[in-house]
Amino acid sequence: MLRFGTAGLRGPLRDGPDGMNVTTVSRATAGLVAWLRDRCLGGGAVVVGRDARHGSAEFAAATAEIFAAAGFPVTLLPRPLPTPVVAYAVRELGAVAGVQITASHNPATDNGYKVYLDGGSQLIAPADAEIERCIEAVAEPIDRVPVTPADDDLVRRYLHRVAGLPARIGGSGARAGIRIALTPLHGVGGELAVEALRAAGFPDVHVVDDQFRPDPDFPTVAFPNPEEPGATDLLLATAARVGADVAIALDPDADRCAVGVPRPDGGWRMLRGDETGVLLGDCVLRTATDDALVATTIVSSRLLSKLAPARGGRYAETLTGFKWLARAGDGLVYAYEEAIGHCVDPAAVRDKDGISAAVLAADLVARLKAAGRDLNDELDDYAVEFGLHAGDQVSLRLASAAAAAAAVERLRTDPPHEIAGEPVEYTDQLRVRGRMRTDALIFQGVSSRVVVRPSGTEPKLKCYLEVVEPVGSRADLPAARAAARERLSALRDFCRKF
């Protein structure tokens, strides 16, 4: 049967226990019911939401009806909505669990079943394995009773919270002066993102018309992920056409946010997740209380670890995924992962949230524009202050998840002691103890770093690269960038030999 991966089930839409279908969803829900009852949580409130993928409406209805038949008060959200709304609702209502039917940015042929526990954080081990055992013990038939969808009250409360974010962090006050280009990539975030931006004081939003309405077939992109080549071409063309100050792309369930900026030559580029991550982290830290905590993962840039203490904050590092980042420690005010996931308001949403990240990014752009600056200027300042941190990722799509795991195992058996001419120290994350144990290899040199791991959701081998070049002044930036490009090229060559 499908196994719990990143906080839930995800797989192709097809019959059988290894596919996403009503039977799989029903058994998963019945197993989750049994697990909650075993922990004396029976009868607690539950939230159920969905995106607009094929099968999502039917799967959400089955989930809600099984919970209701088991005696749980169920809030079934009224229509296809972003995943962060479910995370918010679980926390806001004090629910014992939440389920979002979504496959995030997977291909159109997939769907999924994402589980939140009390507090609105994603499911983690050992609960995932315990729930799987409960699923295996489910006996047919599974009772269902009809559930009436809720009204828009929770959605309005979520939007009110997001729209107030700039004011809570000492926002710019000059928000009406910027123009935003936006795409939800055929997902469910478009309407709420525009509404949240306008309520926050950003009325000048131009959307990519061909990608704005939810469409489960994602007709204009090969893969509905802003990180994939070509996925943001229409967005950047729109940004250039309307003379935007910033471009924003959400993934289909709107829990991820990618940011595009104009280049000095007049073109546009999408920022890397690490670039957006440190920009938003700095924005939050500058107005946070002393000793506030920010966090990122072992595959992200090391830049945040240098910036946090310089801004009076603390830094934590976790395994990949927001199920770990949301639990990074007390005093958490911000967390990000390089895969364009940002948690900018953990008091309300203990997960990545593309819509609140978009509002914060827009406010930062407005503040900088009022000072005659832009995001590129901020990134240049970081390079001078902390060194130029340049990153890249090599993603090798393989025949299966097993093939990706086998490739890592071969590298583990015979690890290199030098990469691209630089000696490296080797850490096998499977050999460490505690919560940082995972299937990943880290090769660390004096000024370069390579992390290799199999993907948790797709048949891919992922390699995360970073080099650091010293920068004495802005005049040194062109030479530092050229040196970084050359060194990253050598690291990419190393990874492609796997």
Side-chain angles (χ1 to χ4, degrees), residues 124-125 295-300 302 315-321 323-325 327-329 412 427-442 449 451-453:
I124 59 170
T296 189
T297 73
I298 62 171
V299 304
S300 299
R302 303 300 90 195
Y315 170 81
E317 191 170 294
T318 74
L319 298 180
T320 56
K323 63 183 180 181
W324 304 115
L325 282 170
R327 297 173 171 90
R412 175 177 285 119
T427 302
D428 183 349
Q429 291 293 130
L430 273 183
R431 295 177 182 172
V432 302
R433 294 184 177 183
R435 296 177 69 176
M436 293 298 286
R437 186 176 186 272
T438 189
D439 191 6
L441 309 176
I442 301 175
R449 188 169 184 266
V451 183
V452 182
R453 73 175 185 93

Side-chain angles (χ1 to χ4, degrees), residues 156-461:
R156 287 192 294 267
R157 286 151 68 180
Y158 167 80
L159 284 170
H160 178 75
R161 177 76 187 194
V162 173
L165 182 61
R168 292 196 301 277
I169 62 165
S172 67
R175 295 184 287 277
I178 72 163
R179 178 167 293 171
I180 301 166
L182 181 138
T183 180
L185 287 184
H186 303 292
V188 295
E191 180 182 333
L192 259 64
V194 171
E195 192 171 348
L197 285 164
R198 289 176 175 164
F202 304 100
D204 196 359
V205 182
H206 297 255
V207 302
V208 179
D209 290 330
D210 289 345
Q211 297 176 334
F212 189 71
R213 295 188 181 280
D215 187 329
D217 293 317
F218 309 109
T220 68
V221 292
F223 293 97
N225 181 350
E227 294 183 293
E228 291 286 344
T232 58
D233 286 356
L234 291 177
L235 170 68
L236 297 184
T238 299
R241 177 175 54 80
V242 303
D245 296 289
V246 65
I248 293 171
L250 306 175
D251 75 337
D253 69 332
D255 65 350
R256 302 177 190 236
C257 173
V259 176
V261 296
R263 295 195 308 254
D265 63 4
W268 281 76
R269 76 175 182 98
M270 298 302 295
L271 296 181
R272 291 182 52 77
D274 282 320
E275 292 176 304
T276 305
V278 74
L279 285 163
L280 297 184
D282 193 15
C283 185
V284 172
L285 278 171
R286 287 181 184 273
T287 57
T289 58
D290 291 341
D291 208 34
L293 177 68
V294 295
T296 189
T297 73
I298 62 171
V299 304
S300 299
S301 168
R302 303 300 90 195
L303 180 53
L304 188 64
S305 69
K306 300 176 183 178
L307 182 141
R311 303 292 186 261
R314 293 177 292 126
Y315 170 81
E317 191 170 294
T318 74
L319 298 180
T320 56
F322 268 86
K323 63 183 180 181
W324 304 115
L325 282 170
R327 297 173 171 90
D330 294 336
L332 182 69
V333 296
Y334 174 75
Y336 92 90
E337 59 183 358
E338 55 74 41
I340 60 174
H342 311 278
C343 176
V344 304
D345 187 14
V349 178
R350 284 265 162 175
D351 197 7
K352 54 188 178 291
D353 181 352
I355 295 176
S356 61
V359 169
L360 185 60
D363 188 71
L364 176 58
V365 170
R367 175 173 62 81
L368 292 172
K369 185 177 181 180
R373 292 165 54 81
D374 62 18
L375 297 180
N376 292 307
D377 294 320
E378 288 285 280
L379 293 170
D380 288 350
D381 285 351
Y382 298 149
V384 174
E385 187 175 0
F386 304 109
L388 176 67
H389 289 64
D392 200 1
Q393 183 183 140
V394 175
S395 185
L396 306 174
R397 188 173 289 273
L398 302 176
S400 65
V408 174
E409 191 58 38
R410 288 194 298 271
L411 189 59
R412 175 177 285 119
T413 302
D414 186 21
H417 301 289
E418 179 181 285
I419 298 177
E422 182 178 55
V424 293
E425 294 184 356
Y426 162 61
T427 302
D428 183 349
Q429 291 293 130
L430 273 183
R431 295 177 182 172
V432 302
R433 294 184 177 183
R435 296 177 69 176
M436 293 298 286
R437 186 176 186 272
T438 189
D439 191 6
L441 309 176
I442 301 175
F443 302 94
Q444 179 71 59
V446 173
S447 58
S448 63
R449 188 169 184 266
V450 177
V451 183
V452 182
R453 73 175 185 93
S455 169
T457 58
E458 300 174 271
K460 288 182 177 180
L461 185 66

